[in-house]
Amino acid sequence: MGIVVQKFGGSSVADAAGVKRVAQRIINTRREGHDVVVVVSAMGDTTDELIDLANEVTPLPPPRELDMLLTAGERISMAVLAMAIQSLGHEARSFTGSQAGVITDAEHGRAKIIDVSPGRITAALAEGAIAIVAGFQGVSQTTKDITTLGRGGSDTTAVALAVALDAEVCEIYSDVDGIFTADPRIEPRARKVPRISYEECLEMAAQGAKILHLRCVEYARRYDMPIHVRSSFSEKEGTWVVPADQVRVDDTEKDTAMEEAIITGVAHDRSQAKITVVGVPDKVGEAASIFRAIADAQINIDMIVQNVSAAATGLTDISFTLPRGEGQTAMSALSKLQGSVGYERLQYDDSVGKVSIVGAGMSSAPGISARFFEALSDAGVNIEMISTSEIRVSVIVTETQVVDAVNAAHATFNLGSDEVEAVVYGGTGR
Ligand code: ASP
Ligand code: MG
């Protein structure tokens, strides 16, 4: 039997009891004959608490020291988990990201993994031990400083290690039973998706579904590493994230598969804001100057809409969405352009939400947008902006209507199950 990589999130190891429960689970996998490599996140809300602490000390913590501080969270979990496993009579050894050979670039707070050389992990496995690795962290190839991979980065550690170790599967354990057709917290009839393609999973994650770290799915797709997303609180089979051609291979529910094939899920995101530049002169180069200013402020934008200009005035409006946290930076960058661009005014709206339907089947099924928009209209939801990809349709709506929009989309594409399937076992949702 081969290597299994298991990643446990913060809510699975929130306290001593959780750590012991997870330890038992890891041992069960070991007893089945697998070599087990475990990646852990910080216990409970530790990372948030450490960030709060840093901000109490200084409003702008130096990135190098902040990374050093945050990686302590995962070190605590890896050590106590190794102790718990040893107390149950099994060999276990903990390793920091750096000891596990996770090599990154030098971008503190959002480092990218550039290489994994897990020599000490393979050595520990060869000696019969279970290897426990601190997630979310690595060491910079150039500066040799400790780095972190960005919030939620332990998923990416797990997939990267699974690839480097040529594991059979990367299991990601959290406090829900898998990936659902919508967030069970706002859609009680959400259903577990048995299999989902990397592409659909990427779209869901990018559109705000808090399932997996975006980069972990990109990494898995690049190397064809199957991910099994499941709960550490139950024994249920979770969701398999796999190549598109493996999604419907052994589908036993073929008769109901028609509808499922079109829309896989509904994602929502409340973390965005909308800026409208009102009264932009409709001439060459204006959009270029506006978005250059945003780019130079290092802000990632999402949707853009430019209206046709009114013939009478020759003026147009340009709206775009961006992460809420960057709203003020963007507004001040744009206000500096008023003289050169000559727009009339700026509008800022942070009470918006994005609702997206995702499904590989829509690229070959006409009428999906129409159905989605009709459902929104029947629910009295006004659409402010629209964007699409080959396998996604997203709309911006007012924040108070996000739940209505999700429920309407979920119902119109028959995604709901008859009984309540989703159980949220833990976590504070922080
Ligand atoms: N502990 C880190 C965080 O909360 C990394 C992770 O959980 O994956 O973002
Ligand atoms: Mg966490």
Side-chain angles (χ1 to χ4, degrees):
M1 270 192 240
I3 298 175
V4 172
V5 173
Q6 301 187 319
K7 180 256 168 178
F8 293 91
S11 58
S12 298
V13 291
D15 50 21
V19 169
K20 289 187 196 169
R21 188 174 45 80
V22 162
Q24 188 56 59
R25 200 163 179 139
I26 294 166
I27 289 170
N28 295 347
T29 310
R30 179 79 191 100
R31 287 220 181 99
E32 285 165 14
H34 298 279
D35 279 333
V36 189
V37 176
V38 176
V39 174
V40 269
S41 293
M43 296 172 72
D45 294 331
T46 303
T47 308
D48 293 292
E49 288 157 12
L50 292 172
I51 291 172
D52 291 348
L53 171 64
N55 288 328
E56 277 169 38
V57 173
T58 164
L60 281 177
R64 179 190 185 278
E65 304 310 327
L66 186 61
D67 272 0
M68 198 59 118
L69 176 69
L70 296 189
T71 54
E74 271 70 13
R75 281 191 180 222
I76 295 172
S77 348
M78 71 175 191
V80 291
L81 184 56
M83 292 174 194
I85 293 174
Q86 289 182 34
S87 79
L88 293 168
H90 283 258
E91 220 5 81
R93 234 167 276 166
S94 66
F95 300 93
T96 64
S98 157
Q99 289 175 319
V102 179
I103 315 291
T104 71
D105 62 20
E107 291 290 322
H108 285 292
R110 50 172 176 182
K112 284 204 185 60
I113 298 178
I114 50 185
D115 192 18
V116 182
S117 30
R120 297 195 62 187
I121 306 299
T122 23
L125 295 178
E127 288 164 23
I130 294 166
I132 317 283
V133 179
F136 167 65
Q137 54 182 273
V139 58
S140 156
Q141 189 171 47
T142 48
T143 64
K144 310 293 177 209
D145 282 330
I146 297 300
T147 53
T148 64
L149 309 179
R151 297 307 307 271
S154 299
D155 291 351
T156 302
T157 305
V159 171
L161 268 173
V163 169
L165 294 164
D166 198 18
E168 284 169 17
V169 58
C170 181
E171 297 184 331
I172 307 253
Y173 288 87
S174 72
D175 53 10
V176 285
D177 282 321
I179 296 175
F180 283 78
T181 50
D183 184 341
R185 292 173 178 92
I186 68 168
E187 175 50 71
R189 295 177 67 219
R191 188 168 52 188
K192 188 168 68 197
V193 180
R195 283 174 297 280
I196 185 172
S197 67
Y198 295 124
E199 291 75 18
E200 289 168 316
C201 190
L202 277 172
E203 287 277 14
M204 293 282 285
Q207 300 314 317
K210 295 182 187 67
I211 5 177
L212 290 171
H213 201 222
L214 198 56
R215 265 165 44 208
C216 118
V217 189
E218 281 167 355
Y219 212 106
R221 174 172 66 167
R222 185 153 6 114
Y223 297 100
D224 265 358
M225 173 56 61
I227 302 179
H228 187 186
V229 184
R230 55 195 309 197
S231 169
S232 70
F233 296 82
S234 84
E235 295 291 333
K236 286 184 201 154
E237 182 85 359
T239 299
W240 284 84
V241 187
V242 292
D245 58 359
Q246 289 171 27
V247 170
R248 280 168 190 97
V249 187
D250 50 325
D251 203 331
T252 46
E253 298 152 30
K254 267 280 178 317
D255 36 337
T256 57
M258 270 314 290
E259 206 73 79
E260 287 167 50
I262 298 176
I263 300 300
T264 304
V266 184
H268 75 280
D269 182 357
R270 300 176 200 263
S271 67
Q272 293 210 320
K274 182 176 88 169
I275 290 179
T276 304
V277 190
V278 181
V280 181
D282 192 1
K283 56 179 213 276
V284 172
E286 301 293 62
S289 335
I290 289 172
F291 290 104
R292 168 51 57 202
I294 299 296
D296 288 347
Q298 301 294 323
I299 296 170
N300 234 328
I301 55 164
D302 184 22
M303 284 189 208
I304 303 178
V305 170
Q306 175 176 337
N307 295 322
V308 283
S309 58
T313 59
L315 297 177
T316 182
D317 296 343
I318 297 179
S319 301
F320 61 94
T321 59
L322 73 173
R324 232 173 253 185
E326 325 253 39
Q328 290 319 316
T329 318
M331 288 294 279
S332 59
L334 289 175
S335 60
K336 294 191 191 114
L337 292 183
Q338 182 147 28
S340 55
V341 171
Y343 62 79
E344 276 169 17
R345 65 198 151 85
L346 298 173
Q347 259 172 20
Y348 181 69
D349 182 359
D350 63 5
S351 44
V352 294
K354 182 167 61 171
V355 175
S356 310
I357 54 171
V358 173
M362 74 168 72
S363 54
S364 53
I368 298 302
S369 302
R371 234 168 109 187
F372 181 28
F373 301 158
E374 278 158 11
L376 294 175
S377 142
D378 291 345
V381 175
N382 183 41
I383 302 172
E384 296 182 17
M385 290 169 94
I386 300 171
S387 85
T388 63
S389 82
E390 211 166 305
I391 61 169
R392 168 183 61 82
V393 182
S394 303
V395 296
I396 294 290
V397 301
T398 177
E399 192 177 9
T400 51
Q401 293 194 308
V402 166
V403 175
D404 290 344
V406 169
N407 298 155
H410 204 259
T412 199
F413 293 106
N414 301 321
L415 294 174
S417 66
D418 295 333
E419 69 256 42
V420 173
E421 270 190 26
V423 189
V424 179
Y425 299 93
T428 63
R430 229 192 126 169

